[in-house]
Amino acid sequence: MKLTKIHHIAIICSDFQKSKDFYVRILGLTPVREVFREDRKSYKLDLEVGGHYQIELFSFPDPPARASYPEAAGLRHLAFEVESIDEAAAYLTDQQIMVEAIRVDPLTNKKFTFFADPDGLPIEIYEQ
C-alpha cells in the first residue's frame, strides 16, 4: 500500500450552523458542497483549505460530547499552517475566540498556539 496524502478529516458538530459559521466565516475555509441527508437527519459540508478539499463537517442528532480533558486516546487536534502566528492569534481574539499563549516549538523554533472550535475540538495554528 502506498498512501499519497490525507484525503479529508471528518468532524461531527453539535450545532451545524454555529460550526459552519466558525469554519467558514472565522477560519476562512471555502465551502465546496453542502447536503442534507434526510435518512440520517444530518448535514454534511465539504470544506477546502488552501484550494484542497480537506474537511467534512457533519451534524448528527444528539452526538455525545468529546472527551478532552484529560486527553482521551484518539485524534488529538487539527493543525493549520499560517504565515504569521501573531496576526492569526490577534484575529481570533478579535473574533472572541480564546487563544492560548503563543509558544515556540523547541524542535523547530516555530511559533504555535491552540484554540478550540464551538464543540471544544482543539485546533492548533503553526507558523510556517
Side-chain angles (χ1 to χ4, degrees):
M1 177 170 70
K2 181 181 176 186
L3 302 178
T4 58
K5 64 180 177 181
I6 293 175
H7 185 267
H8 70 270
I9 297 163
I11 299 170
I12 298 173
C13 61
S14 63
D15 182 326
F16 182 74
Q17 293 305 324
K18 186 175 184 179
S19 291
K20 178 181 174 181
D21 179 68
F22 175 82
Y23 283 96
V24 173
R25 185 180 61 81
I26 294 176
L27 295 189
L29 278 60
T30 304
V32 176
R33 178 183 319 102
E34 180 178 333
V35 296
F36 182 74
R37 301 174 311 165
E38 181 64 40
D39 59 323
R40 298 177 138 198
K41 305 292 185 233
S42 169
Y43 281 96
K44 178 181 181 280
L45 175 62
D46 298 332
L47 298 164
E48 283 184 350
V49 179
H52 300 282
Y53 161 65
Q54 292 182 326
I55 293 181
E56 293 179 339
L57 184 63
F58 290 96
S59 68
F60 290 106
D62 304 313
R66 178 184 190 277
S68 279
Y69 301 100
E71 290 190 59
L75 181 65
R76 185 173 183 194
H77 62 263
L78 299 178
F80 295 103
E81 185 175 275
V82 297
E83 289 182 11
S84 168
I85 199 80
D86 298 308
E87 288 177 15
Y91 167 77
L92 290 166
T93 301
D94 287 346
Q95 300 298 313
Q96 282 72 54
I97 306 294
M98 189 181 90
V99 179
E100 293 182 7
I102 294 172
R103 296 178 270 170
V104 176
D105 184 325
L107 300 174
T108 64
N109 283 334
K110 301 284 186 169
K111 293 180 185 179
F112 69 99
T113 190
F114 285 89
F115 59 100
D117 84 350
D119 287 301
L121 175 66
I123 299 176
E124 179 182 11
I125 47 176
Y126 198 94
E127 195 167 74
Q128 52 180 221

